[in-house]
Amino acid sequence: MAKFGVIGMPWQCAGAINVEDCKTSEEVMNKAGLNFHVEKTNMVAEMPMRDFSDKELDRINEDIAKGNAFLRGNKLYRTAPNAFTTYRTDYNIPLGSVKSKYTVVQNNVAFNFFDDAIGKDKAIWQTAGAWGNGERIFVSCKLPNNILVHGDPVETYLVFTNSHDGSSGVKILFTPIRVICQNTLNAAIRTAQNFVTFKHTKQVHNKIAIAQEILGISKQYAEHTQECYNHLASIKMDDNAVIQYLCEQFMSEEEKTKLLQSNYTFKDIVNRKWMAIESSDLSMRKANQISDTWKYYNEGPGQQEIIGTAWGAMNAVSGYFSNVDTSVEGIKRLDSLLYGDKAKKIQAASEAALILQ
């Protein structure tokens, strides 16, 4: 029995609403509470009143007459230059501060994108939701073009994330998930890019409209990814080769050089041999990551079927970050696995595995 659990897809988290029963994008929006509207308005600065000179008071009164300032109690409020805030029009709740060039992307654009990219009424909706007061929103759907890696099923998903607080642009990502263990395999394989991102400028709506062309509606990417994954499954690796590969995913060149010069081996690292860790100047955090990844390679969900291959080695890395590393949760886990630090490490592991012989 596997000693590791399965945490689940990164978009199945707090704030996520299961929308698998929805048939239309409108139903998804209503069920997930995303049917709100966002606008942008001027931001004002709050300043304390003091004893102003007659000249200063004349300037303040002039600005008040122009609508650029107002008084409330003992506070003076002025319109801040090139500073705006976004807000929900249903509750009048501020969401974030943005610049003048910022263009709001309404939530329904996300669903229109899926309708246009996948085909109306063909999206297999999964989850949708918002964090906070609606500062960040996302929607995920399953695509019909799944991948088979020597009979090992990998499902493909499209995820749309957007922010209303200026923290990030519009992001549309294609990501495979290995079914048996829920490993997130969103790496950009070789030259194939797996996501597009747009800034909130006036061109953003036009870019979203053609995003399906940039992604190739995932079909070409899925075919290329399947070819790469099947190639990994055909590469045989013994334990020593896997151990070296796993260590190289976490260790710097300097750490590897110090380890080998001290006559210790990568196997000493996975076994947490103290002198090997100390001689390589490796942190205990890295040593534990390597050891846990090696353990996942041998005992993780679905690993027994692929041990001894580069596919198994690469899945040990993706499995560690998907199901073992719990350093971040919720929206931070989603960001890290899809676009951030964890995604980059999984991508590096994929690229390193593809050049193995």
Side-chain angles (χ1 to χ4, degrees):
M1 179 179 292
K3 297 180 181 180
F4 294 92
V6 173
I7 296 178
M9 302 172 189
W11 50 86
Q12 292 177 344
C13 55
I17 304 298
N18 186 315
V19 292
E20 293 180 21
D21 60 332
C22 294
K23 301 299 182 183
T24 67
S25 59
E26 184 178 1
E27 288 179 9
V28 172
M29 287 189 67
N30 290 333
K31 184 172 182 179
L34 300 180
N35 53 345
F36 59 86
H37 194 76
V38 176
E39 291 291 347
K40 183 176 73 172
T41 189
N42 296 93
M43 187 178 292
V44 298
E46 179 188 85
M47 293 161 286
M49 289 292 289
R50 58 178 176 80
D51 291 331
F52 293 105
S53 67
D54 291 341
K55 184 177 180 179
E56 290 171 331
L57 285 173
D58 288 342
R59 174 64 184 274
I60 291 172
N61 289 327
E62 182 180 341
D63 286 342
I64 291 175
K66 292 179 178 178
N68 296 327
F70 63 93
L71 295 173
R72 178 171 296 169
N74 63 345
K75 301 288 186 181
L76 171 65
Y77 297 85
R78 285 185 180 276
T79 302
N82 193 31
F84 299 81
T85 184
T86 53
Y87 69 99
R88 288 183 59 156
T89 59
D90 51 354
Y91 301 137
N92 277 2
I93 296 177
L95 300 176
S97 58
V98 298
K99 298 296 185 180
S100 60
K101 293 183 179 180
Y102 182 93
T103 298
V104 173
V105 177
Q106 301 298 343
N107 293 340
N108 66 330
V109 173
F111 302 94
N112 289 339
F113 165 78
F114 279 118
D115 285 341
D116 293 342
I118 302 167
K120 192 172 178 60
D121 299 325
K122 292 184 179 179
I124 308 171
W125 306 105
Q126 295 291 297
T127 60
W131 284 281
N133 292 315
E135 294 89 343
R136 295 281 303 277
I137 70 105
F138 74 96
V139 56
S140 67
C141 76
K142 182 179 174 183
L143 299 173
N145 43 304
N146 288 344
I147 294 171
L148 278 180
V149 185
H150 288 202
D152 188 5
V154 176
E155 295 178 334
T156 57
Y157 294 83
L158 206 59
V159 183
F160 179 105
T161 60
N162 185 29
S163 75
H164 293 303
D165 60 0
S167 62
S168 66
V170 176
K171 293 180 180 179
I172 304 161
L173 174 138
F174 167 83
T175 182
I177 299 285
R178 186 167 173 241
V179 175
I180 194 170
C181 52
Q182 301 292 280
N183 287 359
T184 303
L185 303 167
N186 62 305
I189 300 297
R190 289 180 179 168
T191 59
Q193 180 64 26
N194 69 322
F195 74 90
V196 292
T197 182
F198 310 126
K199 293 182 179 179
H200 283 256
T201 60
K202 63 181 180 180
Q203 291 87 13
V204 65
H205 293 93
N206 292 333
K207 290 180 178 178
I208 292 174
I210 63 170
Q212 62 269 33
E213 297 176 23
I214 299 171
L215 287 170
I217 198 39
S218 311
K219 184 177 181 181
Q220 291 181 342
Y221 185 87
E223 291 172 354
H224 180 64
T225 302
Q226 178 170 274
E227 180 183 340
C228 291
Y229 289 167
N230 275 292
H231 174 65
L232 292 179
S234 69
I235 299 174
K236 303 301 181 184
M237 299 179 70
D238 61 23
D239 282 355
N240 287 331
V242 172
I243 288 171
Q244 179 174 339
Y245 164 82
L246 296 181
C247 286
E248 288 176 342
Q249 304 317 304
F250 295 91
M251 297 177 69
S252 67
E253 289 299 323
E254 183 178 359
E255 290 165 343
K256 289 185 288 183
T257 299
K258 287 183 177 180
L259 172 71
L260 300 178
Q261 286 178 344
S262 64
N263 293 321
Y264 289 104
T265 66
F266 293 117
K267 190 173 183 179
D268 293 325
I269 297 296
V270 301
N271 289 329
R272 289 190 176 98
K273 193 169 185 177
W274 171 246
M275 290 302 295
I277 296 171
E278 188 177 59
S279 297
S280 61
D281 283 339
L282 195 67
S283 68
M284 280 306 301
R285 179 176 180 272
K286 277 190 179 181
N288 289 334
Q289 286 179 320
I290 293 168
S291 183
D292 288 345
T293 305
W294 169 242
K295 187 175 182 181
Y296 190 94
Y297 169 77
N298 288 283
E299 302 175 13
Q303 285 295 121
Q304 287 301 311
E305 294 82 355
I306 58 178
I307 277 180
T309 68
W311 175 238
M314 192 270 280
N315 267 271
V317 178
S318 65
Y320 170 80
F321 287 115
S322 297
N323 295 315
V324 179
D325 182 8
T326 57
S327 57
V328 292
E329 298 179 350
I331 186 173
K332 291 183 178 179
R333 178 172 180 261
L334 182 147
D335 282 344
S336 186
L337 274 172
L338 298 188
Y339 312 104
D341 185 57
K342 291 185 180 184
K344 291 175 182 176
K345 289 175 179 176
I346 294 171
Q347 177 178 337
S350 301
E351 292 173 350
L354 284 167
I355 62 176
L356 294 171
Q357 299 298 325

